[in-house]
Amino acid sequence: MSQVNRLGLGGCIDRTQTYTFTFNGNQYTGFKGDTLASALLANGVSIVNRSFKYSRPRGIVAAGAEEPNAIMQLGATEAAQVPNIRATQQALYSGLAARSTNGWPNVENDAMGLVGKLGGPMMGPGFYYKTFMAPASMWMTYEKLIRKAAGLGRSPKEKDPDQYDHYHRHCDVLVIGAGPAGLSAALAAGRSGARVILCDEQEQMGGHLLDTRDQLNGQAANLWVTQVLAELASMPEVLLLPRTTANGLHDHNFATLHERRTEHLADTAPDANQVRSRMHHVRAHQVILATGAHERPLVYANNDVPGNMICGAVSTYIRRYAVIPGQRLVVTTTNDDGYRAALDWTEAGREVVAIVDARPNPEGDCVKEARKKGIRIITGSAVFEAKGTKRVTGARVSGVDPATFTLTGTKEDLACDTIASSGGFSPVVHLSAHTGTRPIWRDDIIGFIPGNVKGLTPVGAVKGVYALDRILAEGAEAGSKAALASGFSVSGIELPSVTKQLESKPIALFQVPHEKPTMRAPKQFVDLQNDVTAAGIELATREGFESIEHVKRYTALGFGTDQGKLGNINGMAIAARLLNQTIPETGTTVFRPNYTGITFGAIAGRHCRDLFDPERYTALHAWHLQRGAKFEDVGQWKRPWYFPVGNETMHDAVQRECRAVREKVGILDASTLGKIDIQGKDAREFIGRVYTNKWAQLGVDKCRYGLMCKDDGMVMDDGVTTCLGDNHFLMTTTTGGAAAILEWLELWHQTEWPELEVYFTSVTDHWATMTLSGPKARDLLSEITDIDLSKDTFKFMECRQGQVAGVPARVYRISFTGELTYEINVQANYAMHVWKALFAHEHTYGLTPYGTETMHVLRAEKGFIIVGQDTDGSVTPEDLGMQWCVGYDKPFSWIGQRALSRPDTRREDRKQLVGLKPVDPKVVLQEGAQIVLDPTQSIPMKMVGHVTSSYFSPTLGHGFALALLVSGSKRMGEKVYMPMADGKVIEAEVVSPIFLDPKGVRQNV
Amino acid sequence: MQRYSGFGLAKHALTHNENWQRLWRNPTPKKKYDVIIVGAGGHGLATAYYLAKEHGITNVAVIEKGWLGGGNTARNTTIVRSNYLWDEAAALYEHAMKLWEGLSQDLNYNVMFSQRGVLNLGHTLQDMRDIQRRVNANRLNGIDGEVLDTQQVQEICPILNCSADARFPVLGASWQPRAGVARHDAVAWGFARGADALGVDLIQQTEVIGMRIEDGQIVGVETNRGFIGAETVGCVAAGNSSVLAKMAGIKLPLESHPLQALVSEPIKPILDTVVMSNHVHGYASQSDKGDLVIGAGIDGYNGYGQRGSYPTIEHTLQAIVEMFPIFSRVRMNRQWGGIVDTCPDACPILSATPVKGLFFNCGWGTGGFKATPGSGNVFAWTLAKGYAHPLAAPFSIDRFVSGKLIDEHGAAGVAH
Amino acid sequence: MSKVAVFNQCPGSEVMAESPLAHQSSVKGGRALIVTEHAFLGHLILRGQADNESLKSAVLSVVGVELPLQPLTFVLNETTGASVQWLSPDEWLLILPAGQEYEVEQNLRQQISGHFSIVNVGGGQTLLRLKGDKVFDLLSKSCVYDVHERNFPVGKAVATTFAKATAIIRRPNEQEWELVIRRSFADYCYRWITDAGREFDLTFTV
Amino acid sequence: MLHIFCPYCGEHREEAEFRPKGQAHIARPLSPEQCSDEEWAEYLFFRDNPRGIHHELWVHATGCRKFFNVTRHTVSYEILETYKMGEKPKVTAESLAKGGRS
């Protein structure tokens, strides 16, 4: 098909660049500069979609973000699929492949249309709440059918090949919208030297000036646009962002701008290094809102038949794209702007059948111009019904009295294929309302304007100013004021001359009455995308949905991808009339981000895949990788979980690693432990306040285990702290708790005890920690250290300084495995050297690297807890049987102490940490298994605790577990039961949580 | 009350839908009621409905400062499940679940309760331990659920990224088949219609501005339309509880935070179940209309603004793209915020207060919607009898003094 | 015996040190964005009261620069390359030429009286130098902080977020920027920078 | 997203650098063991949670790591002042009521 509706001249399109594209499998051509919508119209495509509920044929209505019908599935390949593209905002490119989102077998002939026709009367708002209830079991089946009919486009089924990113920007003045108001504001602000960002959602900046009939300085307005843009582009501190939608304006003038960088070029970024789109996170000192206004269509019967459009869109297609969307036009309007469409149409050489004006005596300049051109004007009237099904074939016109909502006078049918309507303008106030400010209704402009928002200045059409000279002047003033407020001196700009147009006042008309009552008239659509009709709104108000929020939710008004840009005000006005209220009484809708939809990928930015969350590595990570370690995620850290050899299973590897530590020597990379250097004369006092146990007597080079509670008495962290000097301690924390504990210490110091002389510094990353554990640890370490390791010189729970493999090191003789253990700490840059030096003796001593799983088995054999695994935020030190670690008589009431004497923490039947030994030694209890005393009871069973840690011990030769059990400490020797999901009941004996070497002989050798 | 049915729809179609009745009246407040409920959200309306239906107390007013069902009932992500860890919480939520299962029929209003199952993903070994613990507890409490491995998760949700090289690979999940979603607005409207039909006065656009207390006994509430008397007052006003409590001279262990949610544009059915992940902080389901309904986290600061911070939304969508890489090109349509009253133990308060006759039902945090019928049911019982329903008793405000908290942070988490 | 344990943590030159990026390889690209790791410098955290005169005089005599008391600034000793950076009202970061940290710490400790602490953190962080026309763009993609020259003149130093990690950003001269990043996050930062810098054809030398 | 003035760094910084830490000026009782259970619960759990002016504690987590106080309106989210630890707020609900501002 050729471009039957393309005009021979004009438009901001590049006719030398022809693009071929497909729509619903048919091939068409368009030009560079077209949108998908303008190209479809150029090719005479009328039906672009089927409606959501009634499957009625739908055509293009608008030319911008407010388009409700032309919603497309885009993409030539599976991975490049994009659902719900607005054809009016999608630039045409070569090879673009678009499909309608609804319609089967196709949009021209849709089988569901019949259902819509027949079932329509039963499918009023909320019909599904009133049915599908019996029998109850059938709902899930009904729901499947409902779901199938729902949705617009579809998600791709493959990963997105494109990349996205974020850009944090800061500016003095952010100008949103590059129409006349925005351009003059940006120019005024830019000339002051302020940092200015000007963004506009369209392919080209200029807004209304790109298709206005008004002239600037006696020339076409877009010449002025070009000139201003050139000056702005030359200013180093001005950033121009075309194709960039301000989609959210958040607290304290934080705006999110979505810039489409390659979406106008191809399905996927032409160059793999390009980002498809970019979110600019802008913190602006001042924001100028120059977002203009959307034209409102009139609501009349069959106003959804293809060929019904808004007036402004008709002008835009003719003037900007050189496309005329029909042959014979009827305009129905409440204001002067409607006339422009007729004038543009007739100048393009096609027939204007009539302009139907709801005003009795319109007298503006364009009215005169229309008269001069011989266009028939029918005043005091409106189109109340469109004729046709797949395309408008005529318009039914009648006199109308908006005040009484009645038709008057005689009726007349006009033959036409296009009806353009204008019911006035709705300022695009959306962004001003995102932080909760309500827009304000103005009767004089028949629209809402932005409420007061700190740091935000609305200018131009968005505040109901429609005269071009005033728009330009206000823009310039706002730009200057914003720059001034940001501390810049301004000199103003010279404004272009505008020929004054005399305008006559618009009239308020939203729904055009019909000869039949609304409930019986042909459908009068308010929200085209969601098939919300005036009758639907009437039904909602009849049923008691009187708040506008109720009406919206009951009818789905404004819930589409267009978010009701065309329909919301009409819907409100209709509800107001039905409820006999004013529009402000009826209430405004709440506008929320986004202004227009943005892909998840763009919002996620670069923070996906391996950059979703940082992976933290120790200094030995590369070695672990090379050794074939399997890793466990612990917080953000990647920790070796176990080191399989050959085809070993995890169980085999862990058993081998455990035996190696118990029999020879193993090594663990413990670098992830949190480490905090604490210095100051009150360091000891401070530590005594935050730990449960006593620190007053700890000598230099001695280590001690400590427990930390919150002030509710519940255990929150643990670790070993070493006294390095009288005023110097090194605290270790759990891997996951490192950052939180440092902040915790700072919190107490800064807010409660600033008088204590103490400083905390994180050294987690500075020190690499290698835990050498096992009976051969001393022999191995002595090969490469100058530290005297002899039993009586370097005792258990002591620290020494010396050289290990030629590297200065602090060695702590502490043990989490129960074996003879040396924790070697070196400056992390030298860790690999030391580690490798140890492994030079691997075969002599049977040195075996072990991971976290083996560490867990070994520590559990000793009854050592893991905070967060054996505790859950509801466990006190006493519950853990760790009274030995509680300084009840410390002079300062340490954090957590007071809470331990509350009624619930004093209870005798609290859950306490115990060991469990399965009666069947082969059994390994399930971690998380719930414990009962009587397995024969019926459900719900009385549960008395749960298994927190459970392993098979190669040393003990049987499975064993730690558990929290009600009155556990008094149940030693009793049997408890774990009823499992497979129906089996597992029996275990309550034992001490210390399974191995309760006297601690092995670690003291 | 006009009964709804498919037959009724056809009948009304013939008369151009001109004879549908109001779902509720718009009554003028009386001087005195037996019970006043402050807050016409789902919980308050359910309380009124059950007071009338199960306790025969129909001289009840529900006072709402805005429009009914307009608070968190209208702002949540509609997930319904009962797989809570501790016995007390599980019992309460399971009580709600059982009511959900017959709610559409009971109310003669289709609340579109869709038992499509909920997956709670585990990404770390500790996640999986917690999941085992919770599912075992659920099973012994008579609540359905099972622990799935990665393969089984993938079968239930084929579009979920279960690959081993994900930043936080899916190690497994808990699965509650009876859980699902419901149409949130319909829940409020159904309860409102039911309560109204039983004689309850639903008084909208009326704000409580004070509590009248005489000798330690509540005698009524001051409103912007004058005083309304009642010797039993139940406050069920999520997002406003501390403010109401202050009117009665009471302080609560609550903080009100913004909780955000968002929806995508509608797309064809692709996600047939509810997927939640505490670890990567995202959860999603797909509404019957086709929108992906996505929950974001709580903002850390107090806020009554019904909006939160953009980074929270951003982080949530990063999680969603991590979980569902194919959604990268699906567009987010709109975001919004609710105000959640959070308790230190992530469990609600259903409690008498030091003021005689004054009760509070609050602190549901992010977990309120799923409890709606259960909460209303036990709170109605509590108001009718003057003392706590056995299922409500553990949720007394006294627990913060005794220390007997019910710490559901694990099960409540970020996700709801 | 001193109440604080201080020791020389650097071995002799026979021990091979490994930077946090030792396992990563360099990226060859253009000159619009050049990132170079400067590993193994001495990093000390100094804490104390800003009104402690001995602190100020010690820093001046040992490092040769005035202790910066103005928030978000750092002072560079052009001769030695040592710098002292304000981190918070009672906290400074000293970055020293490799191997000097022990001597500097000892000298400072001798001269400072009253309540203070000095901690060697050199193993825990590394320094990247960035230059080229696209540094502003890379930083703007990565940090919420405003790195525009009007807000970030030479001599400024700011601790802030860097992607999902943290970093210190410093501007030692008109041409160069510095990033101080934590060891355990270094690989993440490397991946982030190489990914975000791809469109600028970055060069990354480790 | 909030824009918060750090009183230690002396400039406005993005919310992403901060963490909120709840109501400000909650002092730990000096003699915890002398507190009743009710008093201890009050300190641990009970908060003003006002709709309006709120004094709250924040920490400049990725900046100077200092804790400080913010006076913020919990509906408009407007920040009326920030002040250092140990200082008292200049703006309170009472002072605003007296001054006639809201």
Side-chain angles (χ1 to χ4, degrees), chain A residues 79-85 101-102 121-122 128-133 136 139-140 143 147 150-153 155-160 162 164 166 250-251 256 267-268 276 279 281 434-435 519-520 530 539 542-547 549-550 553-554 559-561 563 592-594 597-601 603-604 607 609 612-615 632-633 636 638 641 868-869 872 902-904 911 926-930 939-941 943 946 979-981, chain B residues 4-6 9-10 13 15-18 20-24 26 67-68 74-75 85-87 104-105 108-110 112-116 123-126 129 132-133 136-137 139-142 167-169 183-186 189 204-205 262 264-272 280 286-290 292 294 306-307 310 313-314 317-322 325-337 400-404 407:
Chain A
Q81 290 299 307
V82 199
N84 305 348
I85 285 286
T101 54
N102 288 323
M122 287 175 63
Y128 29 81
Y129 304 133
K130 297 171 180 169
T131 184
F132 304 130
M133 285 176 284
W139 166 242
M140 295 303 286
E143 190 189 31
R147 286 190 66 199
L152 296 172
S155 165
K157 295 192 177 75
E158 292 174 11
K159 273 188 203 169
D160 192 339
D162 276 319
Y164 305 86
H166 297 162
H250 304 265
D251 285 292
T256 50
D267 276 3
T268 57
R276 181 159 180 263
M279 291 297 296
H281 296 175
H434 285 178
T435 44
M519 299 297 279
R520 295 172 184 237
N530 282 330
L539 176 60
R542 273 169 197 261
E543 292 194 87
F545 294 92
E546 294 174 341
S547 152
E549 286 289 344
H550 278 161
R553 286 162 180 276
Y554 196 55
F559 278 91
T561 63
Q563 298 215 24
R592 295 187 179 279
N594 293 322
I598 295 178
T599 63
F600 289 5
I603 294 170
H607 301 275
R609 303 181 188 114
F612 170 65
D613 203 45
E615 288 185 358
E632 179 188 358
D633 286 305
Q636 292 174 317
K638 287 282 180 189
W641 187 14
Q869 176 171 346
D872 62 2
R902 291 179 299 166
D904 196 65
K911 287 180 187 166
Q926 185 186 67
E927 288 175 345
Q930 293 285 343
I939 288 197
M941 289 194 180
M943 289 169 262
H946 75 283
M980 303 310 296
Chain B
Y4 291 157
S5 66
L9 279 178
T15 54
H16 307 280
N17 292 312
E18 284 169 343
W20 289 105
Q21 290 175 7
R22 292 180 69 98
L23 274 74
W24 49 78
N26 199 357
W67 35 284
L68 64 86
R75 291 163 202 280
L85 172 64
W86 299 98
D87 297 349
S104 293
Q105 289 70 32
N108 178 236
Y109 201 80
N110 191 350
M112 304 171 87
F113 178 45
S114 169
Q115 292 181 288
R116 54 180 75 171
H123 299 268
T124 66
L125 300 175
Q126 188 57 40
R129 287 182 202 109
Q132 290 283 9
R133 178 185 178 193
N136 281 320
R139 182 168 44 80
L140 298 185
N141 270 325
R167 174 64 187 87
F168 295 106
R183 173 83 181 104
H184 52 2
D185 291 326
W189 300 339
Q204 300 183 67
Q205 308 295 341
L262 61 101
S264 76
E265 296 181 345
I267 51 174
K268 295 279 185 286
I270 189 157
L271 179 59
D272 297 329
V280 306
Q286 189 173 18
S287 78
D288 288 348
K289 194 166 164 283
L292 296 170
I294 292 165
Q306 292 190 328
R307 65 185 188 282
Y310 180 74
I313 291 292
E314 204 171 58
L317 283 176
Q318 287 159 9
I320 295 298
V321 173
E322 172 73 4
I326 66 166
F327 289 160
S328 172
R329 286 177 171 235
V330 173
R331 274 192 297 269
M332 167 182 153
N333 200 15
R334 53 193 255 138
Q335 70 177 80
W336 64 90
F400 297 98
V401 175
S402 70
K404 195 170 173 50
D407 195 329

Side-chain angles (χ1 to χ4, degrees), chain A residues 602-671:
Chain A
I603 294 170
R606 208 168 284 287
H607 301 275
C608 51
R609 303 181 188 114
D610 63 329
L611 296 174
F612 170 65
D613 203 45
E615 288 185 358
R616 295 179 69 184
Y617 297 157
T618 72
L620 303 164
H621 188 77
W623 191 93
H624 303 324
L625 272 178
Q626 209 179 9
R627 189 74 175 215
K630 301 288 179 200
F631 289 90
E632 179 188 358
D633 286 305
V634 184
Q636 292 174 317
W637 290 97
K638 287 282 180 189
R639 295 196 72 179
W641 187 14
Y642 58 98
F643 291 87
V645 173
N647 293 325
E648 258 182 346
T649 62
M650 174 174 163
H651 176 82
D652 292 343
V654 170
Q655 298 290 302
R656 174 180 51 73
E657 290 172 16
C658 285
R659 275 194 300 271
V661 176
R662 291 273 180 246
E663 291 161 17
K664 293 174 181 163
V665 59
I667 190 163
L668 173 83
D669 179 0
S671 304

